[in-house]
Short mmCIF file of all heavy atoms in Angstrom, two decimals:
data_model
loop_
_atom_site.label_atom_id
_atom_site.label_comp_id
_atom_site.label_asym_id
_atom_site.label_seq_id
_atom_site.Cartn_x
_atom_site.Cartn_y
_atom_site.Cartn_z
N PRO A 292 -18.17 33.93 -32.15
CA PRO A 292 -18.12 33.71 -30.69
C PRO A 292 -18.89 32.47 -30.26
O PRO A 292 -18.46 31.75 -29.36
CB PRO A 292 -18.75 34.98 -30.12
CG PRO A 292 -18.61 35.99 -31.17
CD PRO A 292 -18.69 35.28 -32.48
N VAL A 293 -20.04 32.20 -30.88
CA VAL A 293 -20.82 31.01 -30.51
C VAL A 293 -20.06 29.74 -30.89
O VAL A 293 -19.97 28.79 -30.10
CB VAL A 293 -22.21 31.04 -31.19
CG1 VAL A 293 -22.98 29.77 -30.88
CG2 VAL A 293 -22.98 32.26 -30.74
N ILE A 294 -19.51 29.75 -32.11
CA ILE A 294 -18.73 28.58 -32.53
C ILE A 294 -17.60 28.34 -31.56
O ILE A 294 -17.38 27.22 -31.09
CB ILE A 294 -18.16 28.77 -33.95
CG1 ILE A 294 -19.29 29.09 -34.94
CG2 ILE A 294 -17.42 27.51 -34.40
CD1 ILE A 294 -18.80 29.43 -36.33
N GLN A 295 -16.90 29.41 -31.24
CA GLN A 295 -15.78 29.29 -30.30
C GLN A 295 -16.23 28.66 -28.99
O GLN A 295 -15.59 27.74 -28.47
CB GLN A 295 -15.18 30.67 -30.02
CG GLN A 295 -14.21 31.11 -31.09
CD GLN A 295 -13.65 32.49 -30.82
OE1 GLN A 295 -14.30 33.30 -30.16
NE2 GLN A 295 -12.47 32.76 -31.34
N ALA A 296 -17.32 29.14 -28.45
CA ALA A 296 -17.78 28.65 -27.15
C ALA A 296 -18.10 27.16 -27.21
O ALA A 296 -17.68 26.38 -26.36
CB ALA A 296 -19.01 29.43 -26.71
N ILE A 297 -18.84 26.77 -28.26
CA ILE A 297 -19.25 25.36 -28.32
C ILE A 297 -18.05 24.44 -28.57
O ILE A 297 -17.91 23.39 -27.95
CB ILE A 297 -20.35 25.16 -29.38
CG1 ILE A 297 -21.60 25.92 -28.93
CG2 ILE A 297 -20.66 23.69 -29.56
CD1 ILE A 297 -22.75 25.86 -29.89
N VAL A 298 -17.16 24.87 -29.46
CA VAL A 298 -15.96 24.08 -29.72
C VAL A 298 -15.17 23.92 -28.42
O VAL A 298 -14.72 22.82 -28.07
CB VAL A 298 -15.09 24.73 -30.81
CG1 VAL A 298 -13.71 24.07 -30.86
CG2 VAL A 298 -15.77 24.61 -32.16
N LEU A 299 -15.04 25.02 -27.70
CA LEU A 299 -14.27 24.97 -26.46
C LEU A 299 -14.90 24.02 -25.44
O LEU A 299 -14.23 23.15 -24.89
CB LEU A 299 -14.15 26.37 -25.86
CG LEU A 299 -13.37 26.44 -24.56
CD1 LEU A 299 -11.91 26.08 -24.79
CD2 LEU A 299 -13.46 27.82 -23.93
N VAL A 300 -16.20 24.19 -25.24
CA VAL A 300 -16.86 23.36 -24.23
C VAL A 300 -16.77 21.89 -24.60
O VAL A 300 -16.45 21.03 -23.78
CB VAL A 300 -18.33 23.79 -24.06
CG1 VAL A 300 -19.08 22.76 -23.22
CG2 VAL A 300 -18.41 25.14 -23.41
N SER A 301 -17.00 21.58 -25.88
CA SER A 301 -16.99 20.17 -26.23
C SER A 301 -15.59 19.59 -26.13
O SER A 301 -15.42 18.45 -25.69
CB SER A 301 -17.58 19.93 -27.62
OG SER A 301 -16.88 20.71 -28.56
N SER A 302 -14.56 20.36 -26.50
CA SER A 302 -13.23 19.78 -26.39
C SER A 302 -12.81 19.62 -24.93
O SER A 302 -12.17 18.63 -24.57
CB SER A 302 -12.20 20.61 -27.17
OG SER A 302 -12.29 21.95 -26.77
N LEU A 303 -13.20 20.58 -24.09
CA LEU A 303 -12.87 20.42 -22.68
C LEU A 303 -13.61 19.21 -22.08
O LEU A 303 -13.10 18.53 -21.20
CB LEU A 303 -13.20 21.68 -21.89
CG LEU A 303 -12.25 22.85 -22.14
CD1 LEU A 303 -12.62 24.04 -21.27
CD2 LEU A 303 -10.79 22.47 -21.90
N MET A 304 -14.79 18.97 -22.60
CA MET A 304 -15.55 17.82 -22.09
C MET A 304 -14.85 16.51 -22.44
O MET A 304 -14.82 15.58 -21.64
CB MET A 304 -16.96 17.81 -22.67
CG MET A 304 -17.98 18.19 -21.62
SD MET A 304 -19.58 18.36 -22.34
CE MET A 304 -20.25 16.77 -22.03
N VAL A 305 -14.28 16.46 -23.64
CA VAL A 305 -13.53 15.25 -24.02
C VAL A 305 -12.44 15.00 -22.98
O VAL A 305 -12.28 13.90 -22.46
CB VAL A 305 -12.91 15.41 -25.42
CG1 VAL A 305 -11.98 14.25 -25.71
CG2 VAL A 305 -13.99 15.49 -26.47
N LEU A 306 -11.72 16.08 -22.66
CA LEU A 306 -10.64 15.97 -21.68
C LEU A 306 -11.15 15.47 -20.33
O LEU A 306 -10.61 14.54 -19.74
CB LEU A 306 -10.00 17.34 -21.46
CG LEU A 306 -8.74 17.64 -22.23
CD1 LEU A 306 -8.16 18.94 -21.72
CD2 LEU A 306 -7.75 16.51 -22.06
N MET A 307 -12.22 16.12 -19.86
CA MET A 307 -12.72 15.78 -18.55
C MET A 307 -13.21 14.34 -18.50
O MET A 307 -13.02 13.62 -17.52
CB MET A 307 -13.85 16.73 -18.14
CG MET A 307 -13.32 17.92 -17.37
SD MET A 307 -14.40 19.32 -17.54
CE MET A 307 -15.92 18.66 -16.91
N ILE A 308 -13.83 13.91 -19.60
CA ILE A 308 -14.36 12.55 -19.59
C ILE A 308 -13.23 11.53 -19.64
O ILE A 308 -13.27 10.48 -18.98
CB ILE A 308 -15.37 12.37 -20.73
CG1 ILE A 308 -16.67 13.00 -20.25
CG2 ILE A 308 -15.56 10.91 -21.08
CD1 ILE A 308 -17.71 13.16 -21.28
N ILE A 309 -12.16 11.86 -20.38
CA ILE A 309 -11.02 10.94 -20.39
C ILE A 309 -10.43 10.83 -18.99
O ILE A 309 -10.10 9.74 -18.52
CB ILE A 309 -9.96 11.42 -21.40
CG1 ILE A 309 -10.48 11.17 -22.82
CG2 ILE A 309 -8.65 10.68 -21.20
CD1 ILE A 309 -9.61 11.73 -23.90
N LEU A 310 -10.37 11.97 -18.32
CA LEU A 310 -9.87 11.96 -16.94
C LEU A 310 -10.78 11.11 -16.06
O LEU A 310 -10.33 10.31 -15.25
CB LEU A 310 -9.84 13.41 -16.43
CG LEU A 310 -8.98 13.68 -15.20
CD1 LEU A 310 -7.54 13.39 -15.50
CD2 LEU A 310 -9.13 15.14 -14.77
N GLY A 311 -12.08 11.28 -16.26
CA GLY A 311 -13.04 10.50 -15.48
C GLY A 311 -12.92 9.01 -15.77
O GLY A 311 -13.01 8.17 -14.88
N LEU A 312 -12.66 8.69 -17.05
CA LEU A 312 -12.55 7.28 -17.44
C LEU A 312 -11.40 6.60 -16.69
O LEU A 312 -11.51 5.45 -16.29
CB LEU A 312 -12.31 7.16 -18.94
CG LEU A 312 -13.52 7.30 -19.85
CD1 LEU A 312 -13.11 7.12 -21.30
CD2 LEU A 312 -14.60 6.28 -19.50
N GLU A 313 -10.31 7.37 -16.51
CA GLU A 313 -9.17 6.83 -15.76
C GLU A 313 -9.64 6.27 -14.41
O GLU A 313 -9.25 5.18 -14.00
CB GLU A 313 -8.14 7.93 -15.50
CG GLU A 313 -7.25 8.25 -16.69
CD GLU A 313 -6.29 7.13 -17.01
OE1 GLU A 313 -5.69 6.59 -16.07
OE2 GLU A 313 -6.17 6.78 -18.20
N VAL A 314 -10.47 7.04 -13.74
CA VAL A 314 -10.97 6.64 -12.43
C VAL A 314 -11.89 5.42 -12.56
O VAL A 314 -11.77 4.44 -11.82
CB VAL A 314 -11.71 7.81 -11.76
CG1 VAL A 314 -12.24 7.38 -10.39
CG2 VAL A 314 -10.79 9.01 -11.62
N VAL A 315 -12.78 5.50 -13.56
CA VAL A 315 -13.73 4.39 -13.73
C VAL A 315 -13.01 3.10 -14.09
O VAL A 315 -13.33 2.04 -13.57
CB VAL A 315 -14.77 4.76 -14.83
CG1 VAL A 315 -15.71 3.60 -15.06
CG2 VAL A 315 -15.53 5.99 -14.41
N TYR A 316 -11.98 3.20 -14.95
CA TYR A 316 -11.20 2.02 -15.33
C TYR A 316 -10.67 1.31 -14.10
O TYR A 316 -10.72 0.10 -13.97
CB TYR A 316 -9.99 2.43 -16.16
CG TYR A 316 -10.28 2.70 -17.62
CD1 TYR A 316 -9.40 3.46 -18.37
CD2 TYR A 316 -11.41 2.21 -18.24
CE1 TYR A 316 -9.63 3.73 -19.70
CE2 TYR A 316 -11.66 2.47 -19.57
CZ TYR A 316 -10.76 3.23 -20.31
OH TYR A 316 -11.00 3.49 -21.61
N ARG A 317 -10.11 2.10 -13.19
CA ARG A 317 -9.51 1.50 -11.99
C ARG A 317 -10.56 0.76 -11.18
O ARG A 317 -10.28 -0.22 -10.52
CB ARG A 317 -8.89 2.60 -11.13
CG ARG A 317 -7.50 2.94 -11.55
CD ARG A 317 -7.13 4.34 -11.12
NE ARG A 317 -6.14 4.89 -12.02
CZ ARG A 317 -4.84 4.94 -11.75
NH1 ARG A 317 -4.41 4.50 -10.60
NH2 ARG A 317 -4.00 5.42 -12.62
N MET A 318 -11.78 1.30 -11.21
CA MET A 318 -12.84 0.62 -10.46
C MET A 318 -13.24 -0.67 -11.16
O MET A 318 -13.50 -1.68 -10.52
CB MET A 318 -14.05 1.54 -10.31
CG MET A 318 -13.87 2.53 -9.17
SD MET A 318 -14.92 3.98 -9.38
CE MET A 318 -16.50 3.22 -9.62
N ILE A 319 -13.28 -0.63 -12.49
CA ILE A 319 -13.74 -1.82 -13.22
C ILE A 319 -12.66 -2.88 -13.25
O ILE A 319 -12.92 -4.06 -13.06
CB ILE A 319 -14.10 -1.45 -14.67
CG1 ILE A 319 -15.27 -0.51 -14.68
CG2 ILE A 319 -14.45 -2.69 -15.45
CD1 ILE A 319 -15.63 -0.06 -16.06
N ASP A 320 -11.42 -2.48 -13.49
CA ASP A 320 -10.36 -3.46 -13.63
C ASP A 320 -9.20 -3.11 -12.71
O ASP A 320 -8.42 -2.21 -12.99
CB ASP A 320 -9.88 -3.49 -15.08
CG ASP A 320 -8.98 -4.69 -15.32
OD1 ASP A 320 -8.43 -5.22 -14.33
OD2 ASP A 320 -8.83 -5.10 -16.48
N PRO A 321 -9.07 -3.81 -11.58
CA PRO A 321 -8.05 -3.48 -10.59
C PRO A 321 -6.63 -3.60 -11.14
O PRO A 321 -5.71 -3.04 -10.58
CB PRO A 321 -8.28 -4.50 -9.48
CG PRO A 321 -9.06 -5.59 -10.10
CD PRO A 321 -9.88 -4.96 -11.16
N ARG A 322 -6.46 -4.34 -12.25
CA ARG A 322 -5.11 -4.50 -12.78
C ARG A 322 -4.54 -3.18 -13.28
O ARG A 322 -3.33 -2.97 -13.29
CB ARG A 322 -5.10 -5.51 -13.93
CG ARG A 322 -5.19 -6.93 -13.46
CD ARG A 322 -5.45 -7.86 -14.60
NE ARG A 322 -6.73 -7.59 -15.24
CZ ARG A 322 -7.21 -8.31 -16.24
NH1 ARG A 322 -6.51 -9.30 -16.72
NH2 ARG A 322 -8.38 -8.05 -16.77
N ILE A 323 -5.44 -2.26 -13.70
CA ILE A 323 -4.97 -1.00 -14.25
C ILE A 323 -4.29 -0.15 -13.18
O ILE A 323 -3.29 0.52 -13.43
CB ILE A 323 -6.14 -0.25 -14.91
CG1 ILE A 323 -6.51 -0.98 -16.19
CG2 ILE A 323 -5.77 1.19 -15.22
CD1 ILE A 323 -7.72 -0.47 -16.88
#
Side-chain angles (χ1 to χ4, degrees):
Chain A
V293 177
I294 304 174
Q295 278 178 333
I297 295 178
V298 168
L299 180 65
V300 169
S301 55
S302 52
L303 287 183
M304 252 174 95
V305 172
L306 263 189
M307 268 154 58
I308 281 169
I309 287 174
L310 198 63
L312 280 182
E313 282 291 316
V314 180
V315 177
Y316 280 160
R317 275 156 208 260
M318 279 157 53
I319 296 177
D320 192 339
R322 283 169 297 183
I323 288 174

